[in-house]
Amino acid sequence: MTPAESIKQLAREAGFDDCRIAAAAEARHAGEFREWIADGCHGEMAWMERTPERRCDPREVLAGCKSVVCLALNYYPGSSAGDGYRIARYAWNEDYHDIIEKMLRRMDEGMQALGGTQRFYVDTGPVLERDHATSAGLGWNGKSTVQIHRQLGTWTFLAELLTTLELPADAPFGDHCGKCTRCIDACPTKAITAPHRVDARRCISYLTIEHKGPIPEEFREAIGDRLYGCDECLEVCPWNRFAQVSRESRFHAREAVFEKKPREFLALTDEEFRALFAKSPIKRIKRARFLRNVCVVLGNTGTAEDLPALKIAAEDADPLIAEHAGWAVGRILGRLA
Ligand code: B12
Ligand code: SF4
Ligand code: SF4
């Protein structure tokens, strides 16, 4: 077996669905990334601005880096879960960072045995992950900016090992969006401001997860029943016709969460919140931001039955929760009238 074949074998053994290799070079759309930052599209994600030279070129991250081993893991947990609200599928159960990091560590050990020195990342590293995935031919960056895998569609996590091993690069697969604009048309907040460009400040995923303060009123109605994250531009993509449910049961819907009605989340104490979302990415946004989101959903979908719980939340000591609960009460009363 060649070193590249051994690495692909290691990836399969670790549990990844696909593994392809790109040469270490400046990210193909580094220029667009710099413009995106200059235009402030990253909002409050200040960490995105730091060390752009590193983020744009893996050779600045790992001295002597020759190749980028790009990996995809299918997380598709099924078509629907939850009654009266939606949670982005990537967050239906356990946090992918912890699961994938263990898989990467295993691959790193195998690659050390081949003589390589590696740095490995999933999501949080200074790497333009989707650009390298495109160069390696895992798929291509759709107009939604989501990386579309040739067989698995949009429902994949990306990860990579930067390595000093010089490996033959795989061929890119090319762009296969054609004339389709479904994702742009479907985006509830018009966050895809041009093909291949998402203004995070308008994106529901950003507003409900990354954004810390009050949700700007102009976006609250468009958020609809989305409690955490947004899958709209993924769901409508025709390349999902081949999507298969993930083999990893830790990504499948957590029953204890999805059996709850939105108003039941309002009664969670801090301790109960942490227990319900143990090991879940949702735990990261903490109770106050989560309840803020619950209030937005109830403001859009709630009925008279939700008013008692919302009125209690409107008296919450945390002004973030109290303000959003008050807004929701006003919206429901407006509908009832
Ligand atoms: C910041 C971030 C966000 C931000 C900003 C999103 C964005 N579009 O930039 C927010 C919070 C909004 C977000 C949302 C989501 N995210 Co996110 N996010 C990231 C993160 C950390 C950085 C992305 C980044 O560099 N953005 C900067 C912009 C400029 O880059 P880009 O969007 O990738 O765009 C590139 C191309 O579009 C290209 N380009 C520009 N112009 C042109 C023109 C042409 C013709 C072409 C071909 C390309 C091209 O240039 C850009 C620079 O490389 C990555 C992990 C990582 N380290 O890469 C995860 C990551 C992108 N997120 C991920 C996920 C799952 C999501 C959500 C689906 C979660 C959800 N369901 O709520 C949504 C999807 C929203 C969307 N449409 O992108 C996955 C995506 C997996 C995949 N298959 O694509 C990643 C890769 C994490 C991971 N390791 O799996 N995310
Ligand atoms: S995740 Fe939702 S809000 Fe963000 S770009 Fe996609 S459709 Fe628009
Ligand atoms: S919905 Fe259409 S335009 Fe958008 S990423 Fe998928 S194929 Fe491309």
Side-chain angles (χ1 to χ4, degrees), residues 143-255:
K143 288 176 190 165
S144 60
T145 77
V146 175
Q147 169 79 195
I148 319 291
H149 187 273
R150 292 163 296 149
Q151 278 107 31
L152 300 164
T154 61
W155 311 108
T156 59
F157 295 126
L158 300 177
E160 52 287 316
L161 296 111
L162 316 187
T163 177
T164 53
L165 293 171
E166 190 147 19
L167 305 164
D170 289 309
F173 182 64
D175 183 313
H176 296 270
C177 281
K179 291 201 170 79
C180 176
T181 57
R182 281 200 209 178
C183 51
I184 299 175
D185 304 337
C187 175
T189 50
K190 303 280 165 254
I192 310 173
T193 51
H196 309 284
R197 186 180 239 244
V198 167
D199 186 339
R201 294 166 296 184
R202 303 187 66 84
C203 175
I204 294 169
S205 183
Y206 170 83
L207 291 166
T208 58
I209 303 172
E210 303 293 335
H211 176 67
K212 295 190 175 71
I215 296 186
E217 288 218 21
E218 65 167 308
F219 298 121
R220 289 189 193 175
E221 193 175 340
I223 287 173
D225 65 352
R226 295 176 192 83
L227 188 50
Y228 180 97
C230 172
D231 277 343
E232 203 65 36
C233 57
L234 294 85
E235 269 171 13
V236 298
C237 183
W239 284 88
N240 281 331
R241 59 182 174 267
F242 308 120
Q244 297 150 26
V245 171
S246 171
R247 287 177 275 123
E248 176 54 82
S249 59
R250 286 174 293 176
F251 296 141
H252 297 174
R254 184 179 294 187
E255 223 175 286

Side-chain angles (χ1 to χ4, degrees), residues 1-306:
M1 256 200 254
T2 64
E5 284 164 353
S6 302
I7 289 167
K8 288 176 184 185
Q9 169 85 14
L10 281 170
R12 272 192 298 275
E13 286 166 4
F16 287 104
D17 290 288
D18 204 358
C19 170
R20 291 174 70 91
I21 296 163
E26 188 180 49
R28 52 174 53 209
H29 293 291
E32 283 88 348
F33 168 72
R34 288 176 197 273
E35 276 170 35
W36 187 81
I37 294 286
D39 292 346
C41 291
H42 58 301
E44 294 163 8
M45 298 181 289
W47 44 272
M48 290 280 308
E49 294 169 23
R50 283 180 217 134
T51 60
E53 63 295 337
R54 274 161 69 82
R55 191 170 286 271
C56 290
D57 194 333
R59 294 167 301 183
E60 297 289 327
V61 179
L62 173 68
C65 180
K66 294 280 181 342
S67 314
V68 183
V69 175
C70 298
L71 299 147
L73 178 65
N74 172 24
Y75 66 88
Y76 187 61
S79 61
S80 70
D83 187 7
Y85 58 91
R86 281 182 279 174
I87 293 176
R89 286 174 180 76
Y90 89 86
W92 278 13
N93 201 335
E94 289 195 22
D95 196 324
Y96 67 99
H97 298 91
D98 305 335
I99 292 173
I100 294 180
E101 250 168 50
K102 289 198 182 81
M103 295 162 72
L104 287 168
R105 188 155 295 129
R106 206 173 138 184
M107 283 195 66
D108 179 34
E109 284 163 13
M111 286 171 68
Q112 283 178 29
L114 294 172
T117 300
Q118 283 73 234
R119 284 267 174 102
F120 54 83
Y121 297 107
V122 48
D123 187 44
T124 54
V127 185
L128 290 173
E129 296 188 315
R130 303 200 265 206
D131 262 7
H132 298 296
T134 300
S135 298
L138 278 178
W140 71 99
N141 279 3
K143 288 176 190 165
S144 60
T145 77
V146 175
Q147 169 79 195
I148 319 291
H149 187 273
R150 292 163 296 149
Q151 278 107 31
L152 300 164
T154 61
W155 311 108
T156 59
F157 295 126
L158 300 177
E160 52 287 316
L161 296 111
L162 316 187
T163 177
T164 53
L165 293 171
E166 190 147 19
L167 305 164
D170 289 309
F173 182 64
D175 183 313
H176 296 270
C177 281
K179 291 201 170 79
C180 176
T181 57
R182 281 200 209 178
C183 51
I184 299 175
D185 304 337
C187 175
T189 50
K190 303 280 165 254
I192 310 173
T193 51
H196 309 284
R197 186 180 239 244
V198 167
D199 186 339
R201 294 166 296 184
R202 303 187 66 84
C203 175
I204 294 169
S205 183
Y206 170 83
L207 291 166
T208 58
I209 303 172
E210 303 293 335
H211 176 67
K212 295 190 175 71
I215 296 186
E217 288 218 21
E218 65 167 308
F219 298 121
R220 289 189 193 175
E221 193 175 340
I223 287 173
D225 65 352
R226 295 176 192 83
L227 188 50
Y228 180 97
C230 172
D231 277 343
E232 203 65 36
C233 57
L234 294 85
E235 269 171 13
V236 298
C237 183
W239 284 88
N240 281 331
R241 59 182 174 267
F242 308 120
Q244 297 150 26
V245 171
S246 171
R247 287 177 275 123
E248 176 54 82
S249 59
R250 286 174 293 176
F251 296 141
H252 297 174
R254 184 179 294 187
E255 223 175 286
V257 171
F258 287 103
E259 69 190 12
K260 291 208 184 306
K261 290 191 172 54
R263 65 170 169 270
E264 290 172 330
F265 291 123
L266 290 178
L268 291 175
T269 62
D270 207 34
E271 206 176 312
E272 286 165 345
F273 172 82
R274 280 186 273 120
L276 183 64
F277 293 110
K279 290 189 176 180
S280 152
I282 296 178
K283 194 171 147 195
R284 197 167 60 87
I285 69 166
K286 302 203 174 86
R287 176 178 170 272
R289 248 192 280 174
F290 183 71
L291 295 203
R292 169 199 70 181
N293 297 351
V294 173
C295 292
V296 172
V297 168
L298 286 174
N300 291 325
T301 64
T303 63
E305 281 183 283
D306 298 307

